[in-house]
Amino acid sequence: MIRQLCTASLLLVTPLTASAAMITFQDDVSPTVAYTGTADTELRNGVNSSTNFGTATTTAPNSDGSRQMLLRFDSVFGNGVNQIPLGSTINSATLTVTRGGGSGTPTFAVYRALMSWNEGTSTWDNSFGGSGIQTNGTEAASTPDSSWTGTWSGSATASFNVATTLQSWSDGGTNNGWALLATSASGTIKTAENASGHPSLAITYTVPEPASLALLGLGGLLLARRRRV
């Protein structure tokens, strides 16, 4: 008669874990990440419809739509240092711009841009079909990410919730930035080329980590083997 005593190892798959982080993208500002990837310009109708404003220090969206701001933060997602890994969950994302002049009580809205544009070459005439940015679901989203209304004086800032758009980019969508439009009144906004008050994009996000495997209860594949005749 042969007797054999064995114990089986226990293979345990640990649940998926995640790590949370936050980051702010803003040109030339410490102690946030060293970043110079902001692109912004103005599309202006009328006598300046063929002029590029990519190096202007301010832009002034107005309610009649003849002046429109374009704003984008490049290289936000990726596998590099100070980038957000694709596939991350966006917990919050806030876009903030700073007053550069003007007064009153404007309403600004940010619409996800759906067509590509270039800070150094885009004009009213040569971008978005040559008639300004249309919020028609083709050139820009038909509904805004969010809007802001307030008193435009002193060091006023306008902030927008853009988490839905950031999540779409994290999921693989194309980052064309936003069209910032004035839906009532107007106000001057500082660009990334200004000496201060650069646009910023503050994001909190969660990165899924690969599931890990753990072996528990490994007491030996064979504790004892006894043979007795």
Side-chain angles (χ1 to χ4, degrees), residues 132-169:
I133 303 162
Q134 307 298 314
T135 55
N136 56 8
T138 299
E139 297 180 359
S142 57
T143 57
D145 279 17
S146 64
S147 58
W148 177 91
T149 301
T151 302
W152 206 238
S153 62
S155 56
T157 60
S159 293
F160 308 90
N161 178 357
V162 292
T164 298
T165 286
L166 265 292
Q167 186 64 64
S168 75
W169 295 340

Side-chain angles (χ1 to χ4, degrees), residues 70-127:
L70 285 166
L71 176 60
R72 188 179 68 243
F73 294 82
D74 291 330
S75 303
V76 170
F77 291 95
N79 296 319
V81 176
N82 295 326
Q83 288 185 302
I84 300 172
L86 285 168
S88 296
T89 297
I90 304 302
N91 302 315
S92 67
T94 304
L95 170 66
T96 301
V97 294
T98 301
R99 175 183 174 271
S103 60
T105 309
T107 295
F108 297 125
V110 289
Y111 294 79
R112 188 189 314 178
L114 303 177
M115 299 178 67
S116 62
W117 54 277
N118 185 290
E119 179 188 53
T121 60
S122 289
T123 69
W124 182 281
D125 289 343
N126 70 14
S127 301

